[in-house]
Amino acid sequence: MTLEDRAKALGEKYASYGKAADVAKILDAYAFAAEAHKDQYRQSGEPYVTHALAVAEIVADMSLDADSISAALLHDTVEDTSVTNADIVNRFGKPVAEIVDGLTKLERIPYSSKEEQEVENLRKMLLAMSKDIRVILVKLADRLHNIRTLDAKSDVKRREIALETMDVYSPIAHRLGITRIKQELEDRSLRYLDPIGYDEIVSALESTSEFREGLINRIKSTIAEGLAPLGIKNLCIEGRVKQIYSIYRKMFMQNKTIDEVYDLYAIRVIVDTKEECYNALGMIHDMYKPMPRRFKDYISTPKPNMYQSLHTTLIGREGIPFEVQIRTWEMHHIAEYGVAAHWKYKEGNDLGVNYEQKLGWIRSMLETQQDSDAEDFISNFKTDMFADEVYVFTPKGDVINLPAGATTIDFAYAIHSGVGNRMVGAKVNNRIVSIDTVLSNGDIVEVLTSKVSRGPGRDWLKIVKTSEARTKIKQWYKKEKREENIVQGREMLDAELKKNGMLLSEAEKCEAMLTACKKLSFNNIDDMLAGIGYGGITVQRAAVRIRDEFAKTAKPEQTSGDEPVETVPVIRRSESGVIVEGSDSCLVKFARCCTPVPGDRIRGFVTRGYGVSVHRAECTNITGMKGDLSDRFVEVCWADITEGAFSASIEITARDRVTLIADITALLANMHIPIHGIQTKKVGGGEIVLQMDISVNDLSHLEMVCGRVHGVRGVTDVSRSGVRRGEAEGGAEKK
């Protein structure tokens, strides 16, 4: 089929459920996109417009409107060709142009890092999504076709795109209830992230395909026969095997074999009404034995993404467990396409007040995270989008949904910020519990408050799970504890600047300090210190910005007469990153035994033929030196500007599992951390120790890397590696 034939088929598909008059607009959009991309090709060698056409076909499968399909055809024209947004407005109208603009990346705006640019692109897309949900629906279609055609990319690019899909787009599809796209994104991403685990599951399923088909058909026949007396007119019974990624999560994250995945087989029963759902459930429970605590009623308590179904796990006559889902036809359409299902019944954006309320979480998330830096935004985004949720109740019976692991503090702030700020205790199921108690499905929670409460504790920031609670606690400290925040922020910033050889008391006298504050969106130094104190900005980010601004004004301004001369802290530079007793030209080597990085306390040792070997101050290879050797120590310090990356060794203790190293290396690759060597050692008890040699920018960067690695499933400890005896003399080059 030619591209023109595919475009005509696209128009015919839309005409079958939309207005035939709009088909001309879709065909015009295809012609416009084909002309704009005429000299562009994909890495597979296909004309680039094939991608735009494929995305439009996916959008049409979701039964979206003509503007959405047109925007899908045009989604890359502004970003990748000479077409402007004004051109789109003039030819296709403002709604189409706004969708395309929401999908266009902010490539031309300079950012301090790739991570910051990626976060701002995500913010822009979410903001556009909060105004018009069609933006993200087209983007999901775009990502789905990209993940379907990843084989043309390099291995590194495949993993990078697959990781981003898992971190960002799959959770969004889940939150919007678009199950069909979510599952395909996850399965295809898994194929590139863990090909061994993926192939293991596929092979296991293929080896039992004949048995599975027979089992599913027998169950379907039994259920159909049992439900016959109910006289359900539009009854549909489907059978399937559980999604590959869902099996993977249970096998590798819960350490189960494929035989221990209880809902490996699933039967779906679709009927006309809610009453028929519950009647069918009763009949099916009479046919098979239900497994205890495996029943979920998402009809009476829908998921936030509008998903509704009855779920029950049963034991078959062969002794094999299987899951049954029971829903109405309307629930089924929503389960497959989530918010996109509304376009089957509504026109344009007129989707009603309830629909707008369903999307309120997007605006709320953007509002609570508008001042977050790149790392915090991504971390909070993943928490807000996380698939696992718990449903708890207020004493009046109202349902509150929270992410798995949420505490009573999260519950209090989900009710209202005033309730959280006055919280002094909590009751769960009518029993007094500690405020850090983790909640479970079905808990009835009552928050105990007091008008004389002193407000939230700073340690609450380490307890809460939701970004909403964390943001509201920070806002309280920002408003109520300004002086305390300034004092704490001053102490933190002073300590951080001293690591770079700067004094806060001196820096405050200079104009560059105020410039740094302005670039961090603070009006003055006190505002910045308060922000550090209440957690609105990390002290590392503030220190880096201050250091950069002083680097730009390294030379003091010359004045005449009796005018005072501004004192600017001297910016000390050195090619190696280390200054030896005031000299910046001495030969310097970094000791392999302790791998110092900027931010560490360091000592210098004069070697024979290798210049000065720089060690961490606590390195045991130098702390025990006596006699003549002790005379060979020299004073060293870090230069104010340290460029490039420095070698560091970390030691990771974790529970051994098949994909452990793959998960850790994938995380480090996503953070752009070079890996220079890996050594492993089993220590018994099912644990393994990994010694990894990596490159980082400084101590705060290393601590951030260790923190992220600690979050990998199964990792119990991450620390700087101990001293390696006998490697003190030679040292190691900076990477």
Side-chain angles (χ1 to χ4, degrees):
M1 185 183 289
T2 66
L3 293 177
E4 287 71 21
D5 289 339
R6 284 177 61 184
K8 289 178 183 178
L10 176 66
E12 291 170 0
K13 179 183 289 188
Y14 176 75
S16 68
Y17 66 79
K19 295 180 179 179
D22 291 332
V23 172
K25 184 176 188 177
I26 293 172
L27 296 179
D28 186 33
Y30 167 74
F32 187 90
E35 177 63 24
H37 294 296
K38 65 179 180 180
D39 296 323
Q40 296 177 339
Y41 296 87
R42 306 197 82 204
Q43 289 184 335
S44 62
E46 297 176 299
Y48 193 87
V49 75
T50 58
H51 167 65
L53 188 54
V55 173
E57 289 168 341
I58 296 170
V59 170
D61 286 338
M62 288 191 274
S63 302
L64 298 190
D65 60 353
D67 283 348
S68 301
I69 298 173
S70 299
L73 289 163
L74 302 166
H75 76 275
D76 277 333
T77 54
V78 174
E79 185 176 328
D80 295 336
T81 75
S82 59
V83 172
T84 66
N85 195 256
D87 295 333
I88 305 291
V89 172
N90 293 334
R91 187 156 175 174
F92 300 99
K94 189 174 180 182
V96 174
E98 288 179 344
I99 297 174
V100 172
D101 182 61
L103 296 165
T104 303
K105 294 179 181 177
L106 304 170
E107 298 286 1
R108 297 177 180 83
I109 301 176
Y111 292 101
S112 59
S113 67
K114 181 180 178 182
E115 289 77 10
E116 184 179 346
Q117 184 180 40
E118 290 172 349
V119 166
E120 291 310 314
N121 281 325
L122 179 57
R123 274 193 227 261
K124 179 190 176 187
M125 185 181 68
L126 291 173
L127 182 60
M129 169 184 168
S130 70
K131 297 176 182 176
D132 189 340
I133 196 62
R134 293 175 294 181
V135 171
I136 195 61
L137 298 178
V138 176
K139 182 60 183 179
L140 288 173
D142 173 45
R143 179 49 58 111
L144 181 58
H145 185 252
N146 281 333
I147 209 87
R148 285 175 177 174
T149 55
L150 269 189
D151 286 341
K153 302 280 187 183
S154 66
D155 288 342
V156 174
K157 198 65 178 176
R158 288 175 193 167
R159 290 186 62 84
E160 184 179 313
I161 293 173
L163 273 172
E164 184 184 41
T165 301
M166 284 294 210
D167 284 348
V168 177
Y169 296 102
S170 171
I172 289 178
H174 167 79
R175 193 68 184 260
L176 296 177
I178 310 174
T179 306
R180 181 169 293 188
I181 289 180
K182 166 189 174 287
Q183 291 182 345
E184 186 174 351
L185 288 175
E186 290 173 340
D187 284 352
R188 290 184 179 274
S189 296
L190 179 62
R191 179 185 163 205
Y192 298 107
L193 293 175
D194 187 357
I196 296 175
Y198 179 89
D199 290 341
E200 182 180 331
I201 294 171
V202 171
S203 297
L205 293 176
E206 288 178 348
S207 66
T208 59
S209 60
E210 186 175 337
F211 170 79
R212 285 187 290 101
E213 288 177 8
L215 175 64
I216 289 173
N217 288 333
R218 288 193 297 274
I219 294 173
K220 287 169 59 179
S221 297
T222 303
I223 291 177
E225 184 179 339
L227 296 182
L230 295 178
I232 301 172
K233 293 182 180 179
N234 295 315
L235 174 67
C236 176
I237 302 175
E238 300 175 344
R240 63 175 178 82
V241 175
K242 196 174 180 70
Q243 174 201 4
I244 293 175
Y245 178 66
S246 185
I247 298 172
Y248 176 87
R249 285 190 62 186
K250 293 202 172 183
M251 286 180 62
F252 294 99
M253 298 182 73
Q254 298 179 18
N255 197 26
K256 292 182 177 181
T257 65
I258 196 167
D259 296 327
E260 294 174 315
V261 179
Y262 287 146
D263 49 359
L264 179 62
Y265 307 97
I267 303 295
R268 182 175 297 144
V269 178
I270 309 174
V271 296
D272 282 332
T273 66
K274 283 186 182 181
E275 290 75 14
E276 289 175 340
C277 287
Y278 288 102
N279 289 338
L281 175 69
M283 295 292 284
I284 292 172
H285 276 184
D286 284 340
M287 295 179 224
Y288 297 98
K289 182 179 180 180
M291 292 186 65
R293 297 183 297 277
R294 299 286 299 176
F295 170 70
K296 295 175 182 177
D297 185 350
Y298 293 120
I299 291 180
S300 61
T301 308
K303 290 187 176 183
N305 60 14
M306 300 175 286
Y307 177 87
Q308 289 183 287
S309 267
L310 298 176
H311 288 198
T312 183
T313 303
L314 310 166
I315 298 292
R317 289 165 189 171
E318 294 87 349
I320 298 174
F322 63 94
E323 183 183 63
V324 174
Q325 301 171 358
I326 308 171
R327 61 180 66 149
T328 67
W329 283 103
E330 183 179 354
M331 293 173 190
H332 179 63
H333 290 311
I334 293 175
E336 291 288 293
Y337 290 113
V339 297
H342 287 271
W343 266 268
K344 283 183 177 291
Y345 315 108
K346 301 282 186 176
E347 293 185 6
N349 279 326
D350 183 21
L351 300 177
V353 176
N354 290 335
Y355 176 82
E356 285 299 313
Q357 291 174 346
K358 295 288 186 185
L359 300 180
W361 59 270
I362 307 171
R363 301 182 187 93
S364 175
M365 181 177 66
L366 289 170
E367 289 169 2
T368 56
Q369 298 184 35
Q370 60 183 348
D371 296 325
S372 301
D373 58 20
E375 186 181 348
D376 284 345
F377 184 86
I378 289 295
S379 176
N380 292 336
F381 174 82
K382 290 177 183 177
T383 300
D384 289 336
M385 291 290 188
F386 196 63
D388 295 331
E389 295 157 332
V390 294
Y391 299 87
V392 295
F393 298 88
T394 68
K396 293 182 179 180
D398 296 327
V399 180
I400 304 293
N401 64 286
L402 297 166
T407 66
T408 57
I409 303 176
D410 293 292
F411 176 88
Y413 280 103
I415 299 298
H416 192 274
S417 57
V419 175
N421 292 338
R422 296 197 305 272
M423 181 181 184
V424 293
K427 287 184 179 181
V428 175
N429 302 325
N430 211 32
R431 297 180 62 181
I432 293 179
V433 297
S434 61
I435 60 175
D436 61 352
T437 297
V438 175
L439 301 175
S440 302
N441 271 320
D443 283 343
I444 300 173
V445 186
E446 179 183 355
V447 180
L448 306 177
T449 61
S450 171
K451 292 182 179 180
V452 295
S453 168
R454 295 183 178 179
R458 289 187 186 274
D459 58 331
W460 289 16
L461 292 170
K462 300 177 182 178
I463 297 172
V464 294
K465 180 74 173 180
T466 61
S467 60
E468 179 184 12
R470 190 174 294 107
T471 300
K472 288 179 178 178
I473 292 169
K474 289 178 180 179
Q475 288 173 346
W476 185 87
Y477 271 96
K478 178 181 180 180
K479 181 179 179 182
E480 303 292 337
K481 299 284 185 179
R482 178 175 170 80
E483 295 304 320
E484 180 182 321
N485 293 333
I486 291 174
V487 171
Q488 181 155 344
R490 181 179 296 279
E491 292 175 356
M492 294 169 65
L493 183 58
D494 191 35
E496 188 68 23
L497 290 178
K498 282 179 180 177
K499 295 177 183 178
N500 295 286
M502 298 177 67
L503 292 176
L504 177 57
S505 57
E506 293 297 323
E508 285 181 293
K509 302 174 184 177
C510 306
E511 187 67 26
M513 185 70 166
L514 187 57
T515 303
C517 292
K518 298 286 187 184
K519 290 192 175 181
L520 290 169
S521 302
F522 294 104
N523 293 325
N524 52 57
I525 296 173
D526 280 352
D527 285 351
M528 181 185 66
L529 295 176
I532 295 171
Y534 73 77
I537 181 176
T538 63
V539 67
Q540 291 83 6
R541 183 183 175 201
V544 168
R545 175 60 69 183
I546 292 168
R547 187 182 66 184
D548 289 348
E549 289 307 313
F550 276 114
K552 296 174 184 177
T553 57
K555 295 181 180 180
E557 295 181 5
Q558 298 298 318
T559 58
S560 58
D562 297 326
E563 294 179 6
V565 178
E566 180 183 20
T567 304
V568 179
V570 177
I571 305 299
R572 295 162 298 177
R573 299 175 182 270
S574 169
E575 184 177 343
S576 66
V578 170
I579 295 176
V580 180
E581 290 190 338
S583 170
D584 61 2
S585 59
C586 183
L587 178 61
V588 169
K589 298 283 185 178
F590 293 92
R592 289 193 299 266
C593 55
C594 54
T595 58
V597 298
D600 283 325
R601 293 186 305 113
I602 53 176
R603 297 184 69 186
F605 182 78
V606 179
T607 65
R608 295 184 177 90
Y610 289 98
V612 174
S613 177
V614 178
H615 295 253
R616 284 158 56 190
E618 62 271 22
C619 177
T620 55
N621 273 336
I622 61 172
T623 52
M625 290 184 177
K626 298 179 181 179
D628 294 340
L629 292 177
S630 61
D631 295 334
R632 291 162 60 183
F633 286 112
V634 292
E635 291 296 324
V636 293
C637 65
W638 295 106
D640 291 321
I641 303 298
T642 53
E643 298 177 351
F646 294 77
S647 294
S649 295
I650 59 175
E651 191 172 275
I652 305 165
T653 305
R655 294 189 299 275
D656 196 8
R657 57 183 176 84
V658 175
T659 60
L660 175 66
I661 296 179
D663 289 347
I664 293 174
T665 54
L667 171 69
L668 295 177
N670 194 39
M671 297 173 67
H672 310 290
I673 303 296
I675 302 173
H676 306 295
I678 303 177
Q679 294 179 340
T680 61
K681 179 177 66 175
K682 288 194 174 183
V683 293
E687 287 198 330
I688 188 173
V689 173
L690 283 73
Q691 180 93 27
M692 301 191 76
D693 297 328
I694 61 176
S695 288
V696 295
N697 298 332
D698 53 31
L699 183 60
S700 62
H701 190 203
L702 176 60
E703 290 171 347
M704 185 266 286
V705 171
C706 290
R708 295 284 293 277
V709 172
H710 201 285
V712 173
R713 180 174 61 86
V715 173
T716 57
D717 185 59
V718 183
S719 61
R720 296 280 292 274
S721 297
V723 170
R724 303 179 211 166
R725 287 274 179 196
E727 294 188 3
E729 280 291 309
E733 292 283 1
K734 184 179 75 169
K735 297 293 179 185

